[in-house]
């Protein structure tokens, strides 16, 4: 019996689900920015009142069934993100559920395409394939939390985010252990794009600073991921 029809059906179903996810999230993001969070869209630079952003970090297991990093490896990046978001956006970074820690090992065995994923435009293509389906199926929640997955390798990148069209970001072990990459990728998830100043949090490389522009505050605080609850 040929497996081709089954494989074709799986690929088609992954594409259909990805189109639905992207469409729904784009719609929800628009509603948040133009209706629910309209005050921050217009006046986010005031950094008032305090808001919250909830994050869950899932560490994946490698081919030998060992976590690609330890939870302790993420402590520096989490503390940096907490300080940066509070200082720049008056936003309190919290675990998805108050009784839980930020990071834990995901027990489900990931497929090869997830452990060795893509960056940049390749990540967008992967959203419509096995990797995108896996990440979407293992989110810590819908719409407002950001889920970070620590994978084994990202092609030509140490971290990746597709911005508001998904609810997750990816980092490789180097990105996870770097001080600022987690904060950088979460900021992408909240709608910010790369900035040409090395002093900015959205500078492309590890040597980035921790500054933001006033308009970046508007974009960040009006994201659906940044809430009052």
């Amino acid at each position: 019996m040929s497996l081709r029809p089954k494989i074709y059906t799986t690929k088609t179903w992954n594409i259909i689900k990805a189109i639905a996810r992207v469409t729904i999230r784009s719609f929800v993001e628009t509603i948040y920015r133009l209706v629910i969070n309209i005050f921050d869209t217009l006046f986010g630079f005031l950094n008032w009142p305090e808001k919250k952003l909830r994050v869950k970090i899932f560490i994946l297991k490698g081919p030998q069934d060992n976590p690609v990093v330890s939870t302790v490896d993420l402590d520096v990046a989490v503390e940096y993100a907490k300080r940066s978001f509070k200082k720049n956006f008056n936003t309190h970074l919290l675990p998805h559920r108050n009784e839980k820690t930020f990071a834990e090992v995901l027990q489900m065995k990931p497929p090869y395409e997830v452990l060795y994923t893509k960056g940049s435009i390749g990540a967008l293509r992967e959203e419509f394939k096995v990797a995108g389906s896996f990440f979407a199926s293992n989110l810590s929640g819908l719409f407002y939390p950001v889920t970070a997955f620590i994978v084994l390798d990202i092609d030509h990148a140490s971290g990746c985010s597709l911005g508001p069209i998904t609810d997750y970001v990816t980092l490789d072990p180097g990105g996870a252990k770097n001080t600022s990459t987690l904060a950088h990728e979460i900021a992408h998830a909240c709608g910010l794009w790369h900035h040409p100043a090395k002093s900015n949090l959205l500078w492309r490389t590890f040597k980035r600073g921790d500054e933001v522009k006033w308009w970046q505050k508007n974009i960040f605080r009006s994201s659906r991921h940044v809430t009052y609850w």
Side-chain angles (χ1 to χ4, degrees):
M1 181 182 294
S2 174
L3 295 178
R4 189 176 298 277
K6 183 178 180 180
I7 294 173
Y8 177 79
T9 301
T10 301
K11 289 182 178 179
T12 303
W13 184 231
N14 284 339
I15 292 172
I16 292 172
K17 289 190 295 183
I19 291 173
R21 290 195 302 267
V22 169
T23 301
I24 292 171
R25 288 187 174 94
S26 298
F27 174 77
V28 172
E29 184 75 8
T30 301
I31 293 299
Y32 264 81
R33 292 189 183 277
L34 298 184
V35 180
I36 299 174
N37 286 339
I38 185 63
F39 178 82
D40 285 300
T41 297
L42 299 175
F43 305 110
F45 60 87
L46 297 175
N47 266 359
W48 180 88
E50 182 185 75
K51 300 192 78 172
K52 298 176 182 178
L53 194 163
R54 299 185 184 275
V55 171
K56 183 65 179 183
I57 305 171
F58 282 127
I59 301 168
L60 302 188
K61 290 185 175 182
Q64 305 303 318
D65 207 35
N66 296 318
V68 298
V69 296
S70 72
T71 56
V72 176
D73 289 330
L74 289 153
D75 287 349
V76 171
V78 169
E79 289 303 314
Y80 180 92
K82 289 168 68 174
R83 291 194 304 271
S84 179
F85 292 165
K86 179 59 181 175
K87 182 192 77 171
N88 289 315
F89 309 111
N90 193 21
T91 296
H92 191 191
L93 188 70
L94 297 166
H96 178 207
R97 295 183 177 87
N98 290 332
E99 72 277 10
K100 301 288 186 178
T101 58
F102 277 98
E104 68 178 80
V105 177
L106 187 65
Q107 297 304 315
M108 179 182 296
K109 185 175 182 179
Y112 178 90
E113 296 90 340
V114 171
L115 282 176
Y116 299 89
T117 190
K118 308 293 183 182
S120 188
I121 192 65
L124 181 58
R125 290 193 293 266
E126 290 297 307
E127 175 63 16
F128 296 84
K129 299 179 181 179
V130 172
S133 181
F134 178 91
F135 293 136
S137 298
N138 289 282
L139 295 174
S140 59
L142 294 176
F143 300 132
Y144 76 90
V146 175
T147 305
F149 294 95
I150 314 302
V151 303
L152 199 55
D153 184 69
I154 304 173
D155 189 32
H156 295 103
S158 58
C160 184
S161 169
L162 291 175
I165 68 171
T166 68
D167 292 326
Y168 68 87
V169 301
T170 56
L171 295 91
D172 71 3
K177 296 174 184 178
N178 176 258
T179 303
S180 63
T181 302
L182 177 65
H184 176 92
E185 297 304 337
I186 294 174
H188 277 316
C190 293
L192 296 180
W193 52 88
H194 284 139
H195 192 277
K198 291 183 179 180
S199 59
N200 199 276
L201 180 63
L202 274 298
W203 173 251
R204 290 179 178 271
T205 73
F206 284 174
K207 296 182 179 180
R208 65 182 65 90
D210 187 33
E211 298 177 3
V212 299
K213 300 296 184 181
W214 68 268
W215 51 267
Q216 290 176 306
K217 298 179 181 182
N218 292 38
I219 295 172
F220 184 96
R221 285 176 56 90
S222 59
S223 165
R224 71 176 184 275
H225 300 303
V226 185
T227 67
Y228 290 107
W229 61 83

